[in-house]
């Protein structure tokens, strides 16, 4: 499996390392050509306003939007989750998102006094006990549409959700020494099979 990891800003190297440890081939995503022949994409954390601007500057926003619209599987973490969301609350007015998953996310939702924290998450469908999740100026999911599965929550607020081929996490799974969430994503991509429509659109 070939996975493109957005590498304009933020922590792409640790995501690539996790995916490679699980046997996937990875490609840093910097130009539209880096999307050729990939089976999935990962959007790491960072600063969603900056990433949104850089996606446009690099001519990547529209090509990535087209691939996502055609069903390319995606895993967005923290700022990456914000970029995949249908609606962004407390965003900058010029900040764009792909609307690839029917959720509304609020940026920096856990408040200043808890800028960063770790939480042991019980994740639906994940064997081997709680997942040690690292949250850094994390967003939260304030609304999840009827077709969205909530796989984990903190204090009743969803922080890990999936809809079809799109998985989003409010935290940074690449910072935990635990590959289970990346494996969950890759297994899900495999179970979906090849995305024929999206290969056709890419031509
Ligand atoms: N607060 C950041 C944003 O709004 C996300 C933080 C992160 O990715 N760790 O984009």
């Amino acid at each position: 499996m070939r996975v493109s990891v957005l590498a304009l800003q933020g922590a792409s190297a640790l995501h690539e390392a996790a995916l490679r440890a699980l046997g996937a081939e990875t490609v840093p995503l910097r130009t539209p050509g880096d999307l050729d022949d990939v089976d999935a994409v990962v959007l790491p954390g960072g600063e969603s306003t900056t990433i949104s601007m850089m996606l446009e500057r690099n001519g990547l926003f529209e090509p990535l939007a087209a691939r996502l619209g055609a069903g390319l599987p995606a895993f967005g973490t923290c700022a990456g989750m914000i970029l995949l969301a249908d609606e962004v609350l407390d965003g900058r007015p010029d900040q764009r998102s792909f609307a690839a998953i029917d959720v509304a996310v609020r940026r920096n939702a856990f408040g200043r006094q808890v800028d960063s924290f770790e939480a042991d998450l019980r994740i639906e469908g994940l064997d081997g006990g709680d997942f040690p999740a690292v949250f850094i100026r994390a967003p939260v999911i304030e609304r999840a549409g009827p077709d969205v599965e909530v796989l984990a929550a903190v204090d009743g607020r969803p922080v890990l959700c999936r809809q079809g081929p799109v998985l989003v996490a409010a935290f940074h799974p690449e910072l935990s020494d635990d590959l289970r969430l990346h494996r969950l994503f890759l297994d899900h991509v495999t179970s979906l099979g090849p995305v024929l429509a999206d290969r056709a659109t890419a031509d």
Side-chain angles (χ1 to χ4, degrees), residues 124-156:
E124 196 76 31
L126 202 71
D127 296 329
D130 290 353
F131 187 92
V134 179
F135 293 77
I136 304 170
R137 288 180 62 74
V140 77
I141 294 159
E142 287 212 344
R143 175 185 61 77
D147 296 330
V148 174
E149 301 166 78
V150 176
L151 303 180
V154 169
D155 297 335

Side-chain angles (χ1 to χ4, degrees), residues 28 50 54 64-66 68 78 80 92 103 110-111 114 138 143 165 168-169 172 174 183 188 190 194 197:
T50 307
M54 291 182 80
L64 185 49
L68 292 167
C78 206
R92 264 179 38 169
V103 295
F110 287 97
V114 283
R143 175 185 61 77
V168 291
H172 284 257
E174 81 286 6
R183 180 177 294 130
H188 186 60
T190 304

Side-chain angles (χ1 to χ4, degrees), residues 45-49 77-80 82 95 107-108 136-139 172:
E47 181 54 50
S48 59
T49 54
T77 62
C78 206
I82 297 170
Q95 161 165 25
R107 295 178 63 220
N108 306 327
I136 304 170
R137 288 180 62 74
H172 284 257

Side-chain angles (χ1 to χ4, degrees), residues 13-27:
L14 290 172
H15 276 291
E16 290 203 56
L19 295 162
R20 282 201 299 264
L22 293 167
E25 192 189 327
T26 61
V27 196

